[in-house]
Amino acid sequence: MIYIDPPYNTGHDFIYKDDFAKTVDADKAESGDYDEDGGRLVANPESNGRFHSDWCSMMYSRLLLARDLLTSDGFIFISIDSHELGNLQKIADEIFGASNRRNCIAVRRGIKNVQAQFDDLGALAQGHEYILLYSKVPSSRIAKLSLAHEGKPGKWDTFWRGTDRPTMRYELFGVTPENGQWRWSESRTIEAIQNYDFYLRESELPLDEYYLNHLTATNEKLNFVRKNAEGTVQYFVPPSTGKLLSDNWMDLTISGNETDYFDTEKSVALLKRIIGWITEHDRSSIILDFFSGSATTAEAVMQLNVEDSGNRKFMMVQLPESVQKSNGSNQSEYDTICEVGEERIRQAGEKIKRSVEMKNQQLALDGEQQIVPDIGFRVLRIESSNYEDVRLTPENFTQDDLDASIENEKQGRTPLDLLFEALPSFQLEYSSSIAILTGGHSMATPYSA
């Protein structure tokens, strides 16, 4: 699964520019770029003649790569507001295919009451944002989504209704009402009688369990009609296990407040709902977020793993943008957004560890202790190769070049640097266990940051 929360292009955002045809200095002079790591983060004010085009170009290349990274049964969620919703949907339809567009989910946002001071407005305040949901292939299915609450068991209720519709009065179990009506049409009722007869013949399960098993397996709601021992015609009211959710998620807000550095930080509850829903049947899934920000996605994954004993893994990607607190202050203990995200993951992991250990201390004598989940992670950064470029054509190769090629590691690179560069060449995961050999003994280390 992929979740991203890209810049919304409101006129106040910075976007990632991928035009490398100009030098960094020339690009900075033209765009006002302030980023020190390559000049790729640029302001995109509405006065920019390519205001929408620059944003769309940024999104197109990244979504194209995202599609390649998804597994065949994978899904991607993209947060956006009304500013670029139309353009984003056109881009995603082209890349993923319109047949793979599953939903445009509306999520409630907090509304600031600043408009109350004005008598007239240019537009109403936006009370919600959107999350576009796409699959990689049309055949992928998603689980039903419901709000859990205390379920109600199924029950039998009277099939006759007092409303008077002559067309809904027909013979049923030898009875034709003189007034009122039956609840359903005749064809639907006959099917419901057959369903109940089949259940009596073929199943020994309680009717509630039989109904829910069938619903889970097929997503089909069965109807049942019978005549009870007292001669009353009844229909089955199904058990309730939760409120089925639509694409209107007004029960939670999209914004979070876990850190002091982001006005647009997403809610952990929102990410937990999305990830838990999509990975319900594969709790060892990999979750990717390549607009990571403060790493809300990582914390949501860790919390879910505790709650359902999952083994999900997260991959967060973020440019080292300079930190500015949401109140406008530049005074911060962290220099970059990456550092904020790293520290948040550490603190979230420690909080989870303490919570599990505290619960284990309070267990009853016959209780089962919960295992502290894996809260370790590694921090990697993009860097040039650890080796000098010694590729020369034969006619340009000298004896001195040959001697220099014996050891061609760059100065200051460590054995771990060399190891991590080699891992993908041997198709080994970056999360692989590492052992350091010292004096003939092996010392395993997770090398968690």
Side-chain angles (χ1 to χ4, degrees):
M1 195 203 96
I2 295 175
Y3 169 81
I4 56 172
D5 178 26
Y8 282 6
N9 208 28
T10 60
H12 308 286
D13 291 316
F14 289 87
I15 64 171
Y16 303 143
K17 194 168 185 178
D18 296 330
D19 183 4
F20 297 102
K22 302 174 186 176
T23 66
V24 171
D25 290 339
D27 199 45
K28 283 183 178 180
E30 178 179 304
S31 65
D33 182 9
Y34 69 88
D35 188 273
E36 296 179 356
D37 296 307
R40 293 166 59 192
L41 192 66
V42 299
N44 194 35
E46 292 185 68
S47 57
N48 176 16
R50 293 172 54 87
F51 175 64
H52 293 288
S53 179
D54 283 351
W55 185 89
C56 290
S57 296
M58 175 196 75
M59 292 303 301
Y60 189 94
S61 58
R62 284 160 176 79
L63 290 179
L64 201 62
L65 178 59
R67 185 187 182 280
D68 290 341
L69 291 173
L70 277 178
T71 55
S72 60
D73 59 346
F75 291 85
I76 182 170
F77 293 79
I78 313 167
S79 282
I80 198 68
D81 71 359
S82 59
H83 288 85
E84 294 289 0
L85 174 64
N87 287 329
L88 177 61
Q89 184 168 302
K90 290 182 177 69
I91 293 171
D93 279 357
E94 178 180 333
I95 291 174
F96 294 96
S99 60
N100 286 314
R101 182 182 356 116
R102 301 307 182 90
N103 282 106
C104 179
I105 301 168
V107 187
R108 181 166 59 92
R109 62 180 293 179
I111 301 176
K112 298 179 180 178
N113 223 9
V114 295
Q115 290 189 339
Q117 60 186 306
F118 303 108
D119 293 329
D120 54 15
L121 306 168
L124 295 176
Q126 293 191 46
H128 61 276
E129 295 180 11
Y130 304 95
I131 302 177
L132 289 178
L133 168 58
Y134 284 80
S135 62
K136 186 167 184 176
V137 295
S139 58
S140 295
R141 304 286 292 175
I142 52 179
K144 64 177 182 178
L145 184 62
S146 60
L147 281 179
H149 62 70
E150 186 175 349
K152 297 179 180 179
K155 64 177 183 178
W156 290 97
D157 205 349
T158 304
F159 194 59
W160 182 86
R161 302 176 67 183
T163 50
D164 195 21
R165 293 176 61 189
T167 57
M168 295 287 281
R169 295 198 288 264
Y170 48 85
E171 183 179 349
L172 188 59
F173 297 112
V175 177
T176 302
E178 295 181 0
N179 53 50
Q181 67 172 81
W182 296 124
R183 182 170 293 272
W184 299 331
S185 67
E186 186 173 6
S187 59
R188 182 179 177 184
T189 303
I190 291 172
E191 182 181 359
I193 293 172
Q194 293 171 346
N195 288 341
Y196 188 62
D197 289 341
F198 180 85
Y199 159 73
L200 293 176
R201 291 195 314 269
E202 302 295 334
S203 179
E204 296 180 355
L205 295 173
L207 185 55
D208 280 13
E209 188 175 346
Y210 176 81
Y211 175 88
L212 292 174
N213 286 350
H214 183 85
L215 179 63
T216 302
T218 66
N219 206 30
E220 177 189 17
K221 297 180 179 180
L222 291 176
N223 296 314
F224 300 106
V225 169
R226 73 177 186 182
K227 184 178 182 181
N228 68 8
E230 289 76 32
T232 303
V233 180
Q234 297 177 312
Y235 78 103
F236 182 65
V237 180
S240 170
T241 58
K243 177 185 177 183
L244 201 63
L245 283 176
S246 67
D247 59 2
N248 186 12
W249 292 5
M250 294 296 126
D251 58 300
L252 47 71
T253 58
I254 198 164
S255 299
N257 56 359
E258 301 295 327
T259 72
D260 295 327
Y261 302 97
F262 301 92
D263 289 321
T264 57
E265 178 183 345
K266 291 299 175 281
S267 157
V268 174
L270 171 68
L271 270 297
K272 284 173 63 178
R273 172 177 292 179
I274 290 173
I275 298 167
W277 173 35
I278 293 299
T279 65
E280 178 180 345
H281 302 300
D282 184 4
R283 296 175 182 176
S284 61
S285 298
I286 297 175
I287 317 300
L288 170 64
D289 182 348
F290 52 86
F291 285 93
S292 172
S294 65
T296 304
T297 304
E299 181 171 352
V301 169
M302 296 166 74
Q303 288 191 16
L304 270 175
N305 284 342
V306 174
E307 293 173 9
D308 61 14
S309 301
N311 189 34
R312 303 172 186 86
K313 298 178 181 179
F314 57 81
M315 295 175 61
M316 305 289 104
V317 183
Q318 176 63 46
L319 282 181
E321 303 172 33
S322 298
V323 164
Q324 177 172 297
K325 285 192 175 183
S326 58
N327 60 13
S329 170
N330 286 313
Q331 300 300 316
S332 169
E333 57 188 305
Y334 306 107
D335 293 326
T336 67
I337 292 178
C338 295
E339 293 176 7
V340 174
E342 292 168 25
E343 184 59 27
R344 178 179 183 175
I345 298 173
R346 292 187 189 99
Q347 292 184 13
E350 289 301 321
K351 183 178 179 180
I352 288 170
K353 180 181 177 182
R354 289 194 301 269
S355 176
V356 172
E357 290 174 343
M358 187 175 297
K359 289 179 181 178
N360 287 340
Q361 292 173 1
Q362 299 171 353
L363 279 178
L365 291 176
D366 57 346
E368 183 177 348
Q369 288 210 342
Q370 185 177 1
I371 298 175
V372 177
D374 181 1
I375 59 173
F377 66 103
R378 283 182 175 142
V379 179
L380 308 177
R381 70 174 182 271
I382 302 298
E383 183 55 273
S384 61
S385 172
N386 295 296
Y387 301 96
E388 300 288 355
D389 187 357
V390 294
R391 292 170 297 179
L392 294 171
T393 57
E395 63 272 16
N396 294 324
F397 213 87
T398 67
Q399 183 62 45
D400 290 340
D401 294 323
L402 186 62
D403 294 338
S405 300
I406 297 174
E407 293 188 6
N408 61 341
E409 294 93 350
K410 290 180 179 177
Q411 292 293 323
R413 303 301 171 94
T414 69
L416 277 178
D417 294 331
L418 305 180
L419 174 61
F420 273 91
E421 183 169 348
L423 288 178
S425 300
F426 293 97
Q427 298 185 10
L428 296 173
E429 295 184 0
Y430 284 123
S431 57
S432 301
S433 297
I434 298 173
I436 299 177
L437 301 179
T438 56
H441 299 284
S442 172
M443 180 179 67
T445 174
Y447 272 103
S448 297

